[in-house]
Amino acid sequence: MTARDALTAFTPLPPARNGIADYAALLLGALTAHYDCAAACEDWLAEAPPGVAVLDPALAHRRIAPGGRVLHQLGNNPQHGFVLQALRRHPGVTTLHDPGLLHLHEAAGEGVERILAGMAGATPALAPFARHLRDHGLCTRANHLLFDLAGEVLARSRAVVVHSRFALGRLRALHGEARTGHVAVVPHPLPAAAMPERAAARARLGIAEEDVLVVTAGFATAAKRLDWVIEALERALAAGAALRWVHAGAERPEEFPLSARIAGREALRPCARVTGWLPQAALDEHIAAADALLCLRFPSFGESSGALARGLAAGTCCLVSDTGAYAELPREAVLHIPLAGAVPALAAALAALARERALARRIGAAGREFAAREMALPAVAAAYREVIEASRERPVVAPPPAGAAPLLVLEAGPALRPAEVEAALAPHAGPCRLLLAVPDLAALAALTLDRPGLVPALLPPWAALRRLRVQAPPAQPGLLLELDLPWRG
Amino acid sequence: MAGLNAAPLLAALLRHALPGLAVLDAALAEGGLYPWLAGARCGAAAPAALPGPERALLRRFRQGGRPLFGFDPATDAALAAGAPEAWGGAAARLVVLGAAADPAPWLAGGTLVLARAAPEGGWARIILLAGAPAPFERLDLLLTEEERLPALLAALEAAARALGAECGTRRVSPRLATLTLLAGAVEARAALEGEALIADAAAEGRLRLLLGCLPPRPLGLRVILAPGGPLPALFLDGAPHPAEAAGEGVLEARLPPGGVRPAVLGLAGATTPRVRRVEIGP
């Protein structure tokens, strides 16, 4: 490798209100030590770090030489729709910030067929959820937990980066060893710039030294368990702890109506505040000023947290759910809150921290020491470089070329079960014909009368039915289905 | 294939020689006559032969609100069949083709074909050797009726002289002639406005304009916008490109020599830029 090989990253960048945009800016700034970096971003006027050109993603392919180095930053929100499309054209290294990608697929208009195709690799026991989506357009929160839709990303990437062993393990469990052999764990980096000094940050925010400031940060999603935070804070306040709570981030009321919930709590209302979205510098001030930064998560898909990295860098005492990636943090570096009994445990922890401020400082210092050792930005950039270089020759799985649709024949008697149809279709991808054969047309009529909704019931939900016709003698009689089957990589 | 150095000269030649000619420049991605031939409908005759990302890029654009030729099957079929309505009722039609396209169906419908490296066929042919001033570039003007060749050659020769170009013609056979023309003085300036603009309103605040395959020499660019508001940032082929304000609503920039792909001008601001006119010239 020469000193300045080109690297093109497809990613949102600041000022997008997206933690991954901040992460990408941080990472690309560090990767300029190794590469001539450019960022393909939907916002052509985005703020890239010095030395990194911003490109129009629709034209970025003109910069990418065959086999060129490409990095995708993929998260589970619609701001990453163009990244998902780009990784289909330009295989490279993909950072999977959130292995659950169903919200991205839904919000970026990927269409039900693609979503069903992404569900195809799941265990057959989950097929009813996919059927509900196909037949009734039903998609519940359970779908987001059960289907990660990461199969396509795994197949189309030369390497995949996740931030925790938990995320890696989850991918392995859902997609198998063979499809995840190219997944590497690279920790979330610390911010490049020094975090604000605590006393100065508190002074600027008007936080008195005697106040115990509790901060939560980022989008107020349901998974951040602000409902638990509310309950725990109320208990701690009732126990006499003098706490102030600031949620430093935007609300997402469709997921969790944070302000409305706070407004309904008399004891909490006077000492709680929601700032709305904050620019990075203001967010850093709140995190640095905090006595306790709460990073709860349930359910967890193995996500990493930029706010947690900043909390560790600032030496703020961080309280995390004892789950997912957070469970991998050293016990002395953060306070782990168990999932079972989270509310009383959190209330007790907050009351203890309010009583003994030195305890919070000791934990914060240990967290900072750990982070400086394991999460330093140059080390993270070097790890990325290693992954990028090692994966360059790795072929990606390509969708099968379009060809003649194979013809499969199954005897369509009363005993034919969906599992048999699914097993017959499983080895195939792309256009496929399936003849549900019958002895004669009278038998077909009887069968369809006997089993209303025969075809949708028999077909797995991810098999898209393009055309159906009755095939009459002298050809073999039956129902001839023209299908489009998903490519599973 | 790089943009034609002689494209401005050839466009002027055709305009003078064949007034009222309706033109489909189906070689937009391979160095056709856009942006020099005002009023030409544009597109790609063989989009499937383009690399996927280039095909996806062209698919985004609209000319006069319509997809480019090659990306709108119904209209494409009408144009290819020579349907008068599709060609605006023009009596004379010309299609500019790239290397991957087959001229036969067009010629069968009575359309003139201008192509680089046109294959042999049973067609009459005027080989155009154009230097503007150098190097010389060859294009073939194909037609089915050889009896039309003498008149067409004469019209082209007269147009060349009217443009001040040095020229020479030769009738090799009833079906084959050559026209050599050399011009250093054709100071062509392309002016694109209205339906001549090929645009993609990518998103709020962003606009892409296709400039075609530009000649392999530096050129000047002038973008005239609706007045009011700050000037947008200018991008060329997806990357920021230096530009200067030249009066209210006017941006000027230097364009580097054209490459093998159509140049794309990008404009980005707080609101979608409203472009009135784009000029490309010396």
Side-chain angles (χ1 to χ4, degrees):
Chain A
M1 191 190 86
T2 60
R4 305 293 297 168
D5 288 310
L7 173 70
T8 307
F10 288 81
T11 180
L13 285 172
R17 296 179 177 189
N18 179 334
I20 297 169
D22 297 331
Y23 172 96
L26 185 65
L27 178 65
L28 285 172
L31 283 171
T32 55
H34 305 289
Y35 298 108
D36 176 14
C37 295
C41 179
E42 275 204 318
D43 178 1
W44 309 346
L45 301 176
E47 297 157 10
V52 178
V54 178
L55 304 176
D56 174 356
L59 286 145
H61 62 277
R62 293 186 177 180
R63 183 186 194 262
I64 302 169
R69 295 165 176 83
V70 179
L71 179 62
H72 301 286
Q73 297 293 313
L74 197 60
N76 190 22
N77 67 63
Q79 291 180 0
H80 297 264
F82 78 98
V83 181
L84 184 60
Q85 288 162 19
L87 72 83
R88 291 175 181 141
R89 291 208 179 97
H90 306 294
V93 174
T94 304
T95 308
L96 208 47
H97 289 270
D98 186 342
L101 298 174
L102 180 51
H103 178 56
L104 164 65
H105 281 73
E106 288 172 342
E110 284 289 309
V112 170
E113 281 190 9
R114 266 199 201 274
I115 292 172
L116 288 169
M119 293 172 166
T123 170
L126 300 181
F129 291 89
R131 283 185 194 283
H132 289 157
L133 177 61
R134 182 193 67 180
D135 298 339
H136 309 295
L138 271 179
C139 185
T140 67
R141 279 172 63 182
N143 290 30
H144 291 256
L145 193 60
L146 298 171
F147 301 99
D148 69 359
L149 269 69
E152 184 187 13
V153 175
L154 290 168
R156 289 186 187 265
S157 301
R158 297 194 191 283
V160 172
V161 168
V162 293
H163 298 310
S164 68
R165 293 191 302 278
F166 177 89
L168 170 60
R170 191 174 188 276
L171 284 171
R172 289 241 159 100
L174 288 172
H175 299 277
E177 292 277 339
R179 289 187 168 121
T180 52
H182 59 327
V183 181
V185 177
V186 177
H188 197 292
L190 294 181
M195 291 292 286
E197 196 271 324
R198 179 174 183 273
R202 288 174 80 91
R204 280 191 290 271
L205 293 175
I207 309 291
E209 184 48 39
E210 63 273 19
D211 288 342
V212 179
L213 178 64
V214 177
V215 167
T216 51
F219 283 115
T221 61
K224 288 183 181 168
R225 303 322 308 225
L226 296 166
D227 51 343
W228 294 354
V229 173
I230 288 171
E231 293 291 338
L233 281 166
E234 276 210 328
R235 289 190 190 201
L237 288 168
L243 299 171
R244 285 179 65 178
W245 173 31
V246 174
H247 178 76
E251 294 206 47
R252 204 176 263 178
E254 70 277 16
E255 279 197 52
F256 186 77
L258 177 59
S259 288
R261 292 289 179 90
I262 291 170
R265 302 294 181 120
E266 203 171 316
L268 187 60
R269 202 165 46 224
C271 52
R273 189 165 71 88
V274 179
T275 63
W277 180 85
L278 291 176
Q280 194 64 60
L283 179 63
D284 286 353
E285 293 251 279
H286 282 81
I287 290 172
D291 292 285
L293 175 69
L294 307 187
C295 297
L296 304 189
R297 184 75 72 158
F298 183 78
S300 172
F301 298 95
E303 313 86 336
S304 53
S305 164
L308 176 61
R310 288 171 185 279
L312 291 169
T316 301
C317 175
C318 300
L319 289 81
V320 302
S321 292
D322 195 4
T323 183
Y326 299 159
E328 295 167 21
L329 294 167
R331 300 281 136 177
E332 69 280 6
V334 295
L335 268 181
H336 286 93
I337 304 298
L339 292 180
V343 169
L346 179 58
L350 290 173
L353 292 173
R355 274 196 311 273
E356 199 181 340
R357 309 284 289 275
L359 174 63
R361 301 223 177 88
R362 275 203 306 278
I363 295 169
R368 176 153 52 190
E369 192 183 319
F370 160 76
R373 197 172 59 241
E374 302 288 334
M375 300 162 67
L377 182 56
V380 168
Y384 260 98
R385 179 187 165 191
E386 202 171 298
V387 173
I388 291 166
E389 296 306 316
S391 65
R392 290 196 62 215
E393 303 303 323
R394 184 185 178 277
V396 291
V397 188
L407 175 63
L408 311 176
V409 180
L410 287 175
E411 295 299 328
L416 181 61
R417 295 284 158 247
E420 295 168 61
V421 177
E422 182 167 4
L425 297 177
H428 301 277
C432 178
R433 292 174 299 155
L434 173 65
L435 179 66
L436 297 174
V438 290
D440 51 43
L441 293 184
L444 178 60
L447 182 65
T448 51
L449 286 171
D450 188 42
R451 295 179 68 176
L454 174 72
V455 171
L458 283 176
L459 285 179
W462 31 84
L465 179 62
R466 299 284 179 233
R467 212 168 144 215
L468 178 153
R469 66 185 171 88
V470 174
Q471 184 163 288
Q476 187 175 8
L479 278 176
L480 183 61
L481 316 181
E482 292 181 20
L483 305 171
D484 205 354
L485 302 175
W487 170 67
R488 302 179 197 203
Chain B
M1 201 176 289
L4 285 165
N5 209 33
L9 171 62
L10 289 168
L13 182 77
L14 291 167
R15 219 169 25 240
H16 276 75
L18 301 163
L21 181 73
V23 178
L24 170 62
D25 186 344
L28 190 60
E30 300 173 73
L33 298 185
Y34 189 83
W36 311 101
L37 202 52
R41 181 92 179 267
C42 294
L50 295 172
E54 284 295 313
R55 190 167 59 245
L57 176 67
L58 290 186
R59 189 185 298 280
R60 294 171 170 272
F61 285 93
R62 297 289 181 272
Q63 186 179 23
R66 294 172 298 195
L68 295 180
F69 175 77
F71 298 93
D72 183 2
T75 312
D76 296 351
L79 282 163
E85 296 79 10
W87 286 89
R93 305 186 298 269
L94 171 82
V95 62
V96 185
L97 294 180
D102 179 8
W106 298 96
L107 290 161
T111 303
L112 294 169
V113 170
L114 183 68
R116 279 206 256 193
E120 289 303 318
W123 314 302
R125 179 184 308 247
I126 299 173
I127 297 173
L128 301 171
L129 289 166
F136 275 80
E137 290 160 326
R138 173 184 163 172
L139 284 96
D140 292 354
L141 185 59
L142 307 177
L143 61 162
T144 43
E145 305 111 329
E146 64 183 54
E147 59 275 17
R148 284 179 61 198
L149 190 144
L152 187 55
L153 183 62
L156 291 169
E157 184 181 11
R161 293 194 192 289
L163 289 170
E166 292 178 40
C167 69
T169 60
R170 182 167 170 238
R171 289 284 303 277
V172 179
S173 76
R175 299 156 62 85
L176 180 63
T178 63
L179 169 68
T180 307
L181 63 161
L182 177 64
V186 179
E187 286 292 314
R189 175 170 284 272
L192 304 170
E193 55 190 353
E195 295 216 348
L197 290 167
I198 302 177
D200 168 28
E204 178 60 25
R206 299 194 295 278
L207 182 73
R208 298 185 186 99
L209 292 167
L210 206 53
L211 302 183
C213 289
L214 297 173
R217 60 174 186 269
L219 289 168
L221 171 76
R222 194 173 156 83
V223 183
I224 296 117
L225 299 131
L231 287 170
L234 190 142
F235 291 74
L236 186 65
D237 290 337
H241 189 75
E244 288 182 356
E248 191 185 355
V250 180
L251 271 176
E252 287 186 348
R254 293 300 296 169
L255 297 173
V260 296
R261 290 165 174 157
V264 179
L265 173 69
L267 296 167
T271 57
T272 303
R274 288 182 295 143
V275 174
R276 290 193 166 163
R277 185 178 167 94
V278 173
E279 296 173 0
I280 302 168

